[in-house]
Structures are given as structure tokens and as C-alpha cells.
Amino acid sequence: QITLKESGPTLVKPTQTLTLTCTFSGFSLATSGVAVGWIRQPPGKALEWLALIYWDDDKRYNPSLRTRLTITMDTSKDQVVLTMTNMDPVDTATYFCAHGHPPETWGQGTLVTVSS
Amino acid sequence: QSVLTQPPSASGTPGQRVTISCSGSRSNIGSNPVSWYQQLPGTAPKLLIYSDNLRPSGVPDRFSGSKSGTSASLAISGLQSEDETDYYCAVWDDGLSGPYVVFGGGTKLTVL
């Protein structure tokens, strides 16, 4: 059974850097073809894809956020980390990590609020 | 403003068949397989359709997907009250700066 869970701060201040961790089980990012991605959803709004990392460390980013995002993986810990710099109140959203491409199994999401 | 265009709302009566459209371009729907997601309030999206028209195990065959050119559709037959929720399409876009995933703006389905 594949499960994923997001963790990180629930509140960040404007201009700060957000670091979110996705801890997963039921698969390995060392396995060929496997990928884990991040998607966010502002309250009451649509889904927005952020980034994806493949088993071979290849990475894809949303071009509109590319300069602010970094996605990395730690196969020994079964974790994927997303960092987003220069946070702004408009970045307030629920952040999801998901297995697969397209995203198949999703984590429950974590709400991040950006406010001073 | 999403790269993929979905109608903000759709509706139908129980037992009816409804379709939700997703309009894109040659660089996304015209070139890559489409996925559809169902999102119940307060929960994570659930994959309904992948590769244009395939259903993951456990998804009822009331849900079906199709694609033609740069547009895709999700059809729900035998509409049920529990189908009342939000639906999103998604696809890879072969952007100039590298491929990335785009989601539609979402469609809220109401069962009358």
C-alpha cells in the first residue's frame, strides 16, 4: 500500500523560505520509473502543479515558479523535500505531494499560511 | 488563468449522463495523455482517468474519458448524488522551457 504524508510549518512569514517534506512508504524512489511531485491548492481555488522528481534525479518545475522552487530526494529516508523561497501571502495554500506521473496516490495535504 | 479551460460548473439529474470538457492546445492535450481527478471537499484529489480513457482499479465504469485533437472530456453516466463535487483535468505541456504539468481550472458538478 502506497502512502505519502506532508510535513512542515503551518505558518511562515513573508519573504521567508518554506521547506516541506514528503515522507512516503510502499515504493522506492530508487526504482526505475518512479516519480514524486508537489501540487498546491489555495483555499477555494484550483490545483496548481509545482514540481516533480524522478528516480534518476531528473527534475521538472512549473516555469512560472521555477526560480523559487527546489525539489530534492533522500532515498535512504524515503523522503522528497520541496523548498520555496521568498514566500508571499498569495502562496497560502494546501500543499500536496503525490506518487506517479500523472499523480496517482496523494498525501492528505498540509495547509501553509503566509502571514506576518 | 489556467492553460487548460474547463467550464466552472456543470449539472445533471440523478441517472443522467453529463460531460465535462477540457480545452487545451497542441503543446499539451494535442501531444500528451490526459488525466482526470475527482476532489471531494476537504480531501486530496483522486485519480479517475489516466492516459485519456483508462480507469484505475476501483473506479466505476460510469466514469469514462475521451480526447479529440486539443480537447478532452470526462463523461459520467448514471449520475449519483455522491458525484456532486469538483473535477480537474491535467496533462503534460511541452513548454519551451521544458515539460511541466498543467491542471484545468476545475469544474463543480451539481446533481439537481
Side-chain angles (χ1 to χ4, degrees):
Chain A
Q1 180 191 5
I2 290 175
T3 65
L4 306 97
K5 187 171 184 178
E6 307 85 354
S7 60
T10 57
L11 179 66
V12 296
K13 290 181 168 49
T15 75
Q16 286 187 335
T17 294
L18 171 68
T19 299
L20 293 172
T21 300
C22 175
T23 303
F24 55 83
S25 63
F27 67 94
S28 171
L29 251 180
T31 301
S32 177
V34 174
V36 172
W38 286 91
I39 304 98
R40 71 178 179 179
Q41 185 172 38
K45 296 188 177 181
L47 299 167
E48 180 179 32
W49 183 83
L50 299 177
L52 180 82
I53 189 164
Y54 290 96
W55 83 101
D56 60 357
D57 206 33
D58 193 13
K59 301 164 187 177
R60 298 283 183 264
Y61 293 98
N62 184 322
S64 67
L65 295 166
R66 174 62 185 93
T67 59
R68 300 174 55 206
L69 295 174
T70 302
I71 189 170
T72 59
M73 65 181 183
D74 186 333
T75 53
S76 66
K77 295 181 179 179
D78 286 340
Q79 291 180 334
V80 170
V81 175
L82 180 77
T83 60
M84 180 180 289
T85 61
N86 195 25
M87 293 293 284
D88 183 272
V90 300
D91 296 313
T92 294
T94 296
Y95 287 75
F96 298 97
C97 64
H99 164 263
H101 56 105
E104 299 173 18
T105 305
W106 297 56
Q108 64 189 25
T110 183
L111 176 62
V112 177
T113 301
V114 184
S115 174
S116 54
Chain B
Q1 193 80 2
S2 178
V3 172
L4 303 179
T5 301
Q6 295 181 237
S9 62
S11 63
T13 56
Q16 197 174 24
R17 181 178 186 270
V18 298
T19 61
I20 297 171
S21 62
C22 176
S23 178
S25 65
R26 270 195 308 180
S27 66
N28 43 64
I29 294 179
S31 306
N32 297 297
V34 177
S35 302
W36 288 91
Y37 296 88
Q38 177 191 60
Q39 187 179 31
L40 298 171
T43 70
K46 170 189 173 183
L47 181 65
L48 280 182
I49 298 289
Y50 66 99
S51 293
D52 299 335
N53 55 18
L54 300 180
R55 285 185 308 276
S57 62
V59 174
D61 59 7
R62 302 188 298 108
F63 295 91
S64 63
S66 63
K67 186 172 82 174
S68 178
T70 59
S71 292
S73 293
L74 172 71
I76 308 172
S77 60
L79 199 62
Q80 300 178 2
S81 57
E82 56 259 40
D83 299 332
E84 181 167 295
T85 192
D86 297 327
Y87 295 85
Y88 294 90
C89 56
V91 67
W92 281 94
D93 189 296
D94 299 331
L96 293 175
S97 52
Y100 65 105
V101 176
V102 290
F103 282 93
T107 298
K108 183 174 183 57
L109 175 63
T110 300
V111 180
L112 301 170

